[in-house]
Amino acid sequence: MNQDSYGIRLTDTAKGRNSASMLVNKMYAWRGYAGTHQFTDDPNRITLTATDKGDVVGTLTLGIDSPIGLMADQIFKEELDAYRSRGAKLCEFTKLAFDPTVRSKTSLANLFHLAVIYARDIHDCTDIVIEVNPRHRRFYEHMLGFERVGDVKTNPRVNAPAYLLRISLEYVTEQIKNLGGTWSTTTNERSFYPYFFSPREEQGIINRLRRIDEQQVA
């Protein structure tokens, strides 16, 4: 996106991953979560960062299911295997952190939407899963449409309770088609999708990413 002021980019350098790690550790510590959260050069994990004048203000990591599994398999393997057995190609959103001084719904929605595009259009995923603390569950369920899978468990990576939530990318696509880009005209405060890109903007981003992908393959 915008390379000069605010923008979202794929983090593929050690410096970028270090900046994302610092933000995640800062925000997780502020919330009282344990652990040190580092980013590695893993081909099955894609880290996106939101930057403001060069400073990382938000980050989200997309994990693509593979033979080694997902991070959520550590405590929710049985639940995830049930979806795999039905033919789902899973992905997970992890390490979400956003600087609280940047209070922009659009910025956070842009980050989510880019991850959706990578999952659905570049990696052909069918479902997104996410592990969330019980106090954050309402946002994902009511504002994005995630559904709870199973019971709450303790996540040893942060030493805190976690729910596994899931949403189909078919549902996400339909919401973007109907609501994306309407934030300035809608009064719908029960959905986060109006803050996503419009369908026209989304298609432009998809076309651009596919061209980049084709150039890399060539």
Side-chain angles (χ1 to χ4, degrees):
M1 294 174 62
N2 189 335
Q3 297 291 320
D4 298 322
S5 55
Y6 174 80
I8 297 176
R9 64 197 63 184
L10 180 66
T11 300
D12 56 1
T13 66
K15 181 179 179 181
R17 288 191 291 271
N18 184 58
S19 295
S21 294
M22 290 175 63
L23 178 62
V24 169
N25 286 321
K26 173 184 174 182
M27 298 312 302
Y28 278 35
W30 178 67
R31 291 171 179 160
Y33 298 154
T36 300
H37 308 275
Q38 299 295 325
F39 291 77
T40 59
D41 187 9
D42 183 338
N44 297 312
R45 308 196 73 77
I46 299 163
T47 295
L48 299 170
T49 55
T51 59
D52 185 11
K53 297 178 181 178
D55 295 326
V56 173
V57 297
T59 184
L60 184 157
T61 295
L62 168 67
I64 308 297
D65 204 6
S66 69
I68 64 174
L70 299 170
M71 291 179 68
D73 278 304
Q74 184 177 8
I75 54 175
F76 293 109
K77 182 172 173 53
E78 182 178 349
E79 292 86 347
L80 297 179
D81 281 346
Y83 287 103
R84 292 178 177 122
S85 68
R86 296 199 286 269
K89 181 173 181 181
L90 303 175
C91 66
E92 64 181 352
F93 287 2
T94 64
K95 294 183 170 67
L96 171 64
F98 223 85
D99 190 324
T101 62
V102 182
R103 298 186 180 277
S104 170
K105 292 180 180 179
T106 304
S107 300
L108 180 57
N110 290 171
L111 199 60
F112 266 86
H113 199 158
L114 261 294
V116 165
I117 290 172
Y118 268 101
R120 182 193 61 201
D121 299 284
I122 305 301
H123 294 280
D124 299 318
C125 295
T126 61
D127 298 81
I128 304 168
V129 296
I130 187 167
E131 298 169 279
V132 302
N133 187 281
R135 65 175 178 263
H136 301 144
R137 179 164 63 100
R138 183 177 177 83
F139 168 78
Y140 291 97
E141 291 180 338
H142 292 266
M143 300 294 282
L144 288 166
F146 278 82
E147 297 179 343
R148 181 164 60 93
V149 180
D151 299 320
V152 65
K153 298 183 181 182
T154 298
N155 185 331
R157 295 190 301 276
V158 293
N159 192 29
Y163 278 108
L164 179 69
L165 305 183
R166 170 207 157 263
I167 194 170
S168 75
L169 277 160
E170 181 180 4
Y171 174 84
V172 172
T173 299
E174 187 66 21
Q175 298 307 304
I176 292 170
K177 178 181 177 182
N178 294 333
L179 299 171
T182 65
W183 62 271
S184 62
T185 58
T186 185
T187 57
N188 184 359
E189 289 298 325
R190 295 183 178 180
S191 174
F192 203 52
Y193 290 103
Y195 297 93
F196 279 50
F197 297 112
S198 70
R200 181 178 179 181
E201 291 171 321
E202 178 189 63
Q203 191 58 54
I205 294 168
I206 293 169
N207 292 341
R208 182 180 177 185
L209 289 177
R210 284 176 173 166
R211 285 196 299 269
I212 294 171
D213 214 34
E214 290 169 358
Q215 290 169 2
Q216 289 176 339
V217 171

